[in-house]
Amino acid sequence: MDLQDYEYYEARAKDVKLEDITSSQHNADILAMLRNCHPHFTLIFITDESDYYDYHEFVVCEGDDLGWLGYFVGRSKRLEELLIGNFPDNLNIDAFFGGLRHNRSIQQLHIYTDLGESFKSLSTFLKNNNNLRDLTFTCFNIGLQCARNIALLLEQQSSLKCLNFEDNNLGDEELVEIATVLRTQPQIEELNLSVNDVGRDGCVALRNVLEDMRNLNLATVDLGHNDIDDEGLNALVEGLKKCHNLTTLCLSGNELITGAGLRSLSTLLRSDHCRLEC
């Protein structure tokens, strides 16, 4: 399929019949709700397969489904939450992101797949959308190159409140890449790194970043179900001492932490600025 730009869709949107540009009536109905600013249609989940058509599922099959979806998502002022599952190969992914970059209403973005080079296409959307509050990457393997792509992406954002990396097989090497860019995100209030492979080196990377940051707003840190040991926890505690707004810290499921390691938390709990809710 020839790649189309935003102007292509803009020129044809007024008179187009939605049934003629989508691969299913269900997808046409979703585009209609976006075009008509349906007040209760605030969430879309994009996937390439479905056993049944959920009200919010846009199932990409053939034709230019993605390009037109991107256009109408870009124009939407009602859409608040976008979930990106799998994209079929060789479809109009760039056109979708070209439309998405015009959106200013989305507050939550959830990504369930490695977008590869297409992560770069998300950068303009993140840079321009100051309403985005929640960014989630979950349920896929984040390798080293993917971590670098995500780090570059995060450099474009300054409004996030919640950053979620739950269940991605994220290891120390990958976390080092992502942690570096956290220096540019002091406004984040919730950081979720649970159900991964974060160990000692990852905790050291987090400590180094937190110690260098000013005006931290972190209130919740979830590192449950990782590979953190006593030395890793000791390093983490040193960084968390800078988090004067911290109220919730989850370390459950880190079986390498012993009683001796947990005692290092006492220095954090005794801090004059500690607000952890025990």
Side-chain angles (χ1 to χ4, degrees), residues 97-108:
F97 287 121
L100 176 63
R101 65 189 176 94
H102 293 272
N103 180 276
R104 303 293 184 271
S105 67
I106 293 173
Q107 300 173 28
Q108 300 180 55

Side-chain angles (χ1 to χ4, degrees), residues 155-183:
E155 290 179 352
Q156 307 299 320
Q157 240 296 320
S158 59
S159 64
L160 290 177
K161 299 299 182 183
C162 177
L163 187 55
N164 187 346
F165 290 97
E166 182 179 1
D167 193 13
N168 290 303
N169 293 325
L170 187 72
D172 287 341
E173 193 173 13
E174 291 77 25
L175 182 54
V176 168
E177 295 289 337
I178 293 170
T180 301
V181 79
L182 291 179
R183 288 186 172 92

Side-chain angles (χ1 to χ4, degrees), residues 65-105:
D65 278 358
L66 270 180
W68 281 106
L69 177 63
Y71 172 76
F72 285 112
V73 166
R75 291 179 54 84
S76 174
K77 293 179 172 59
R78 296 279 187 177
L79 192 65
E80 298 176 0
E81 191 168 358
L82 177 64
L83 294 77
I84 299 177
N86 292 321
F87 284 142
D89 294 333
N90 301 320
L91 288 184
N92 215 351
I93 296 174
D94 289 339
F96 169 76
F97 287 121
L100 176 63
R101 65 189 176 94
H102 293 272
N103 180 276
R104 303 293 184 271
S105 67

